[in-house]
Amino acid sequence: MLDSIRQQFVFFHLKTQPFDWRHFDDLRGMTLGGGLEYSYGPAFDAFLAKEKVRIERVSSDRQNFEKLLKERVVLYPQELNVGYAALRNEFSREDAERITHHPKPLLINLSYLMLPKRLAQSETLRERFDARLQQFRQDGRYQQYFDALQAGHYQPVPE
């Protein structure tokens, strides 16, 4: 059994611009930020192709959040942990605290450990990984790590 890790993509927005949505059509007429040539899943990509919303794509989280702070875009879809890490690492506390996210996920991605079939140890490594991941989930460490990540406890080391 190959286990997975869930990534949750959400819409980030300014706290001063309350936002709610249930269906993609609720976004009609809005301007969104986005990553260059990035897919937010087949369903959302199909919705974007209908051009009911405008998406301004740039190359970095920093640029997208700057556009959000300057009210040049209304929403920025991004993975929850990635988005908050970018806010913590790239912006002042005051600016980061101006931004929140909608709790309804835009997309849930499952990430998997991939190992080459031709590597003799791949099956053993996969089994060890799956066993340890299952152990971490059962004893609560898995959730503790993600809670700590969301609280900002893991920061990049300056070069």
Side-chain angles (χ1 to χ4, degrees):
M1 173 186 102
L2 188 59
D3 224 328
S4 63
I5 296 174
R6 290 172 37 115
Q7 296 176 311
Q8 180 175 286
F9 284 75
V10 296
F11 287 112
F12 284 90
H13 64 92
L14 291 175
K15 290 178 181 176
T16 57
Q17 294 183 347
F19 163 72
D20 195 19
W21 76 289
R22 291 185 183 190
H23 310 284
F24 293 148
D25 277 336
D26 295 337
L27 311 177
R28 185 184 303 252
M30 294 183 178
T31 302
L32 283 60
L36 291 177
E37 298 185 29
Y38 192 82
S39 170
Y40 296 97
F44 195 62
D45 290 347
F47 174 74
L48 290 174
K50 295 177 185 175
E51 298 182 356
K52 293 181 180 181
V53 297
R54 184 168 165 228
I55 185 163
E56 296 181 3
R57 295 180 181 269
V58 294
S59 61
S60 72
D61 291 324
R62 179 172 184 80
Q63 290 173 304
N64 274 301
F65 281 122
E66 284 174 345
K67 291 174 85 164
L68 193 59
L69 288 164
K70 293 175 183 176
E71 299 184 26
R72 291 180 25 211
V73 299
V74 178
L75 303 172
Y76 172 43
Q78 179 53 281
E79 199 280 329
L80 182 67
N81 294 308
V82 171
Y84 280 113
L87 287 169
R88 279 191 305 275
N89 296 326
E90 303 275 340
F91 293 91
S92 69
R93 172 176 271 166
E94 293 78 24
D95 280 344
E97 288 178 353
R98 293 177 53 206
I99 296 174
T100 189
H101 72 278
H102 191 278
K104 176 181 168 58
L106 161 65
L107 172 69
I108 302 283
N109 264 353
L110 299 179
S111 296
Y112 298 90
L113 173 67
M114 297 178 70
L115 300 163
K117 288 182 180 182
R118 67 178 175 263
L119 182 66
Q121 303 96 324
S122 287
E123 183 62 22
T124 302
L125 290 171
R126 183 193 60 78
E127 289 171 0
R128 286 176 55 198
F129 176 85
D130 284 351
R132 188 59 57 98
L133 182 58
Q134 186 63 31
Q135 177 186 357
F136 280 20
R137 283 186 169 147
Q138 288 174 345
D139 70 16
R141 278 186 284 178
Y142 178 87
Q143 191 58 50
Q144 288 173 350
Y145 289 143
F146 278 93
D147 290 346
L149 174 67
Q150 289 177 355
H153 292 291
Y154 306 120
Q155 298 296 320
V157 177
E159 294 181 17

